[in-house]
Amino acid sequence: MPTRSPPRGVRSARAGQGRTAPMSDTNRPALVLLGGFLGSGKTTLMMRIGEELSSRGIATAVITNDQGENLVDTAHARERGLAAAEIPGGCFCCKFGDFVTHLSEIRRTVAPRVILAEPVGSCTDLTATVLTPLSLYHSGLARLAAYIVLADGPRLIGEYRRMNLGAPVTPREVLIAHQICDARRLVVTKTDLLTPEEVADAVGFLRGLSPDAQIVTCSAVSGEGIEPLIEWVTTDDEIELSDSPDLDYDVYAAAEAEMGWYNGRATITAPAGLRIDDATTDLLLGLKAEFGANLIHGKVLFVCEYGSLKAGVVDGRIGIDSGLSSTNPVTEAGLTVNVRAAAAPREIDATVGRLIDELCDRVGASVSDYMHRAIVPGRPVPQHRIRRNDGST
Ligand SMILES: Nc1nc2c(ncn2[C@@H]2O[C@H](COP(=O)(O)OP(=O)(O)OP(=O)(O)O)[C@@H](O)[C@H]2O)c(=O)[nH]1
Ligand SMILES: [Mg+2]
């Protein structure tokens, strides 16, 4: 296998010491990790793949993960009818024991053929901290079918081009470049937002960062490009574990510490009626206006009698994923909000609380059962870190 040439600061050690496991037995579910930076489209793609697999009669479950609790992603998956387990309070690597327990539990209760797992979008180094420990200590639990990292198409040709991902300097550059170089399979997402020339440009940019990776392009919205991903996910093979790019955990911790995470949920009661689509847009526009370029990913999920509406704002762009059967006003709805921004947690907490209050004032609604928490993620301390290249743990 050729040695990759990752960017400076994300040096990859020698490749080629991985082993290829034998073809799987059919009892173990296929485990697929879908990584990538915040807002790159992991949950949307996971839902799309999950629904596609389910329509082909392939039982699928998902595992979501976050630094906090009350996750839009988990609620969204369950609303869409997918069996979903959630690992809150830290990434898969720091909560490896919980990850193994959930894998085991979901296998016992749902018996899926495929498990799609979404790590926290600010997490990296999964080859060393999740895949290798799984293959060494828990290989009977699941077959490691794929490790795929997503990169946001519009960000690749915009924000990422303006960053130094080829020679990362800032903590966030190091984190994003490492995520890209840690996986052998990369996806340029959201191609429906790009022209064919821009898609080619995004692929070329990614190729420059990870010359030997397999790269596909797709839109979880239009479905274009999904088929190669279905093949990656349904393979009978087990992945070949590769060496891990170097990573300075002080820099990694600094990248995490730059971001504030807010997770909250509430019940909104609106005697005069609340239009969920309007309320969602209001909240997202509010987040965009308040945080500007510091908003990394804002997510809103409303659940009401007509179904659920999940929407997000990434890179200043609002995307709406709706399962609503009607936009008629409702008198009660459950609201979940997750915000990741380069801002102090206290500021995010106060701002979101105010935006919810302002929304309620406008429509004569009231808020009850409001639970909210804002944090700065702690330093990543993986339970295992096993780098095949140097044998360290
Ligand atoms: N147009 C378009 N929008 C997309 C696509 N995939 C995702 N989005 C939008 O991008 C935003 C982020 O998508 P998510 O799937 O929540 O991203 P994520 O990677 O799971 O984000 P985190 O959980 O915060 O790490 C949402 O508003 C989606 O609607 C796509 O293929 N096309
Ligand atoms: Mg997600």
Side-chain angles (χ1 to χ4, degrees), residues 37-44 73 118 121 190 192-193 218-221 297 299 310-314 319-321 340:
F37 193 61
L38 296 155
S40 54
K42 299 180 293 295
T43 305
T44 313
D73 291 353
E118 175 187 346
K190 311 185 188 179
D192 57 292
L193 298 174
C218 92
S219 163
V221 169
H297 190 187
K299 312 183 216 183
K310 175 194 173 244
V313 55
V314 173
I320 304 228
D321 313 303
R340 288 77 181 93

Side-chain angles (χ1 to χ4, degrees), residues 68-72 86 261-268 299 301 333-340 348-350 352-353 356-357 366-375:
E69 291 163 2
N70 294 321
L71 305 190
V72 165
E86 170 179 300
W261 296 60
Y262 162 94
N263 289 352
R265 74 181 168 82
T267 301
I268 310 287
K299 312 183 216 183
L301 176 83
L335 167 66
T336 307
V337 181
N338 296 167
V339 177
R340 288 77 181 93
I348 306 175
D349 193 45
V352 178
I356 295 173
D357 284 344
S366 61
V367 181
S368 57
D369 304 325
Y370 181 40
M371 289 190 281
H372 54 116
R373 189 154 181 253
I375 55 157

Side-chain angles (χ1 to χ4, degrees), residues 232-254:
W232 282 358
V233 167
T234 54
T235 173
D236 282 338
D237 293 340
E238 185 135 20
I239 55 170
E240 180 181 349
L241 288 173
S242 56
D243 293 344
S244 311
D246 285 347
L247 180 62
D248 180 336
Y249 267 61
D250 289 337
V251 180
Y252 179 14

